[in-house]
Amino acid sequence: MKILVIGGGITGLAAAHRLRQNLGEDADITVAEHSNRLGGRLATGSFAGYRVEAGAESLLATRDEAVGLARDVGLGDQIVHPASVPAGLVFDGQMHDLPAGTFMGIPADPADVAGLVETTEPPVLDRPVLGPDEDVSVGELVRAHYGDDLLEKLVTPLLGGVYAGDPDRLSAEATMPALVEALRRNNSVPDAIAEVKAKRSSGKPVKPFASIATGLSTLVTATAAAGRANIRLGLTVREIHQTPYGWEVLAGPLTDPVRYQADAVVLATPAEITARLLREVAPSSAAALGTLGYASIALATFAFDDLDLPDRSGFLVAGPGMVKASTFMTRKWPHIRSRRPIVRVSLGRAGMQAELAQAADEELVQTALAGLAEHLGQTVPEPVEVRLDRHSEALPQYAPGHVQRVARLREELRERQGIAVAGASVDGIGIAACIASGRDAADEISSFFSNTHAEGEQS
């Protein structure tokens, strides 16, 4: 059994690890990564004497995939949780408490946000809010049921903190699948939110977020080691073709490509690359995936000799500016015990790719410092250490109908057999979602081998 996993981010590594668990030592698993490092958007660096994230900073702990993988690969004792301090929300020139009990800023009861934003009374319909296959934008959903003010001041910054996106262009089903599932059973949005919250509270209480004390890069290296795959860095996969005996993959330089024969392939790559590699395998549905847009962001991290930070984990910003959020690392994460305040500022939103790309590093650093000063309402001193990390085309912007487009792609691929897609381009943003996606793809490939073996025995 020869399997090629294309993409060495956490999705591809989780897929390789699951394949090893499912298929044992007889499986010949290779991970091909076009860059010179594993981990994709996960990267930890030394900053101000501490291990600080230069990309994604936390795991969603309400799902078991990420913390479960951490335990599986020997990092259970390194799992840490944020301090119990609230986040702030900036709008109308002031910082407010982030309201508790909402679902991505949407309240089950409008009274829960009374005095903070203006809302309309959500209607009760004579049918479920959404039909069985219906998808709408988040903006359309919230605006129709709660009004513009709640959308702009609560939902947009919360959604922007995750997706850096425009709610009027983001699919409700792709960004809030649990809520959409409930909306297909309930006649009002508040009833659907109440159902989702009841399901989440019915299980064992869990802190919503977590990280790894030694850095999320440790999760990358530990997962790669546990998967025991052949890791090929700097290897660009250019074409894949199905043959009567499996899959032929062309990789490496154009002038001297490497031909790799595989029984099965997992694509854990961005949408544009996935679409290009599948243009002969599943042309129509792959082309549809290739239209997926992305938002770029930059992360400016600062260490200060002294800075008067509020007792918060950070803040989110409602509004059109470049600065969309900030994390007070030394307030939020107890394992970072620096006497110097360490603050990370997130810049960039959907539609700002060109503006972000054209700005010089120093310009982005000054924009971040100015935004920090504005939203804290104080003069910010010169930092003693600065780090800027750019993440070009980092966050998928799922348009309405995304889930259905991915379903059609997978249906077409199942007819081919021995090939699966995974990752943020198809199954959602976040480390837990990417791990789940990689594992599901690995399970699909494992089932393919099991079925092939059973058919061979019968014949």
Side-chain angles (χ1 to χ4, degrees):
M1 292 177 290
K2 293 184 68 174
I3 307 113
L4 178 66
V5 178
I6 305 172
I10 193 61
T11 303
L13 295 175
H17 177 252
R18 184 62 156 243
L19 286 165
R20 181 64 68 200
Q21 288 180 316
N22 290 349
L23 303 176
E25 297 304 319
D26 290 340
D28 180 353
I29 305 168
T30 297
V31 175
E33 166 56 38
H34 78 97
S35 74
N36 61 3
R37 56 174 289 273
L38 294 173
R41 302 297 176 185
L42 302 189
T44 311
S46 178
F47 184 84
Y50 288 83
R51 300 279 288 167
V52 175
E53 302 304 334
E57 67 161 312
S58 62
L59 314 169
L60 185 62
T62 52
R63 298 178 56 161
D64 186 56
E65 293 91 349
V67 292
L69 177 62
R71 294 188 183 101
D72 285 348
V73 299
L75 298 177
D77 60 346
Q78 295 296 316
I79 296 172
V80 292
H81 297 277
S84 297
V85 288
L89 183 62
V90 177
F91 60 82
D92 294 341
Q94 296 183 2
M95 189 177 298
H96 306 265
D97 290 334
L98 193 65
T102 67
F103 186 94
M104 196 62 80
I106 309 172
D109 183 350
D112 293 341
V113 295
L116 187 64
V117 297
E118 295 180 2
T119 68
T120 57
E121 187 65 30
V124 179
L125 308 178
D126 58 2
R127 55 171 176 79
V129 176
L130 292 177
D133 295 313
E134 186 181 359
D135 188 16
V136 297
S137 73
V138 175
E140 181 182 347
L141 176 69
V142 176
R143 190 178 285 110
H145 293 265
Y146 292 89
D148 289 337
D149 203 48
L150 184 137
L151 174 66
E152 292 169 6
K153 293 177 179 176
L154 295 187
V155 177
T156 297
L158 280 162
L159 205 66
V162 179
Y163 296 93
D166 177 353
D168 286 316
R169 296 176 180 270
L170 286 172
S171 156
E173 185 170 13
T175 58
M176 298 183 287
L179 177 59
V180 167
E181 184 182 341
L183 289 171
R184 290 171 175 159
R185 288 190 294 268
N186 288 274
N187 292 17
S188 75
V189 177
D191 286 348
I193 292 175
E195 178 187 314
V196 173
K197 291 173 68 175
K199 284 184 177 179
R200 290 187 172 181
S201 63
S202 63
K204 181 181 178 181
V206 63
K207 294 182 177 180
F209 298 101
S211 192
I212 304 297
T214 49
L216 290 173
S217 287
T218 311
L219 180 62
V220 171
T221 54
T223 303
R228 299 185 298 283
N230 175 29
I231 304 294
R232 297 288 306 275
L233 297 177
L235 183 64
T236 299
V237 174
R238 302 191 181 281
E239 297 178 25
I240 60 174
H241 306 279
Q242 190 169 26
T243 74
Y245 311 103
W247 297 91
E248 182 180 72
V249 179
L250 271 65
L254 286 169
T255 54
D256 187 23
V258 175
R259 293 183 181 273
Y260 185 90
Q261 304 296 325
D263 299 306
V265 177
V266 174
L267 280 75
T269 47
E272 182 181 1
I273 296 173
T274 301
R276 175 170 54 79
L277 292 176
L278 293 177
R279 63 190 171 194
E280 291 184 6
V281 179
S284 60
S285 52
L289 178 66
T291 64
L292 178 66
Y294 283 80
S296 300
I297 61 168
L299 301 170
T301 308
F302 305 103
F304 300 94
D305 266 337
D306 188 34
L307 181 64
D308 184 20
L309 290 174
D311 191 22
R312 299 182 185 274
S313 61
F315 59 78
L316 297 165
V317 181
M322 179 72 79
V323 172
K324 71 181 184 72
S326 180
T327 302
F328 307 155
M329 307 295 285
T330 41
R331 285 267 198 268
K332 182 174 181 178
W333 296 106
H335 65 285
I336 302 177
R337 296 186 176 89
S338 171
R339 66 175 182 81
R340 287 176 164 161
I342 299 175
V343 176
R344 188 168 88 162
V345 178
S346 179
L347 306 103
R349 302 172 191 266
M352 291 186 173
Q353 287 92 322
E355 186 179 351
L356 203 64
Q358 292 165 9
D361 286 0
E362 182 58 25
E363 184 181 350
L364 291 179
V365 166
Q366 292 305 317
T367 298
L369 286 171
L372 187 62
E374 176 188 354
H375 300 314
L376 289 179
Q378 61 180 276
T379 300
V380 172
E382 283 295 312
V384 296
E385 193 168 339
V386 178
R387 174 176 178 138
L388 182 73
D389 296 282
R390 295 175 182 261
H391 295 275
S392 177
E393 307 237 323
L395 301 174
Q397 303 295 293
Y398 310 112
H402 172 79
V403 173
Q404 289 75 24
R405 288 188 288 275
V406 170
R408 286 193 290 272
L409 172 61
R410 286 189 162 129
E411 184 177 350
E412 197 169 350
L413 291 181
R414 287 189 189 99
E415 295 177 3
R416 293 286 191 159
Q417 298 189 334
I419 187 166
V421 293
S425 64
V426 289
D427 289 326
I429 286 173
I431 298 170
C434 287
I435 291 169
S437 181
R439 286 180 166 182
D440 287 346
D443 289 343
E444 186 173 342
I445 296 301
S446 301
S447 295
F448 161 72
F449 283 118
S450 296
N451 294 336
T452 302
H453 178 72
E455 289 171 5
E457 286 187 337
Q458 290 174 1
S459 61

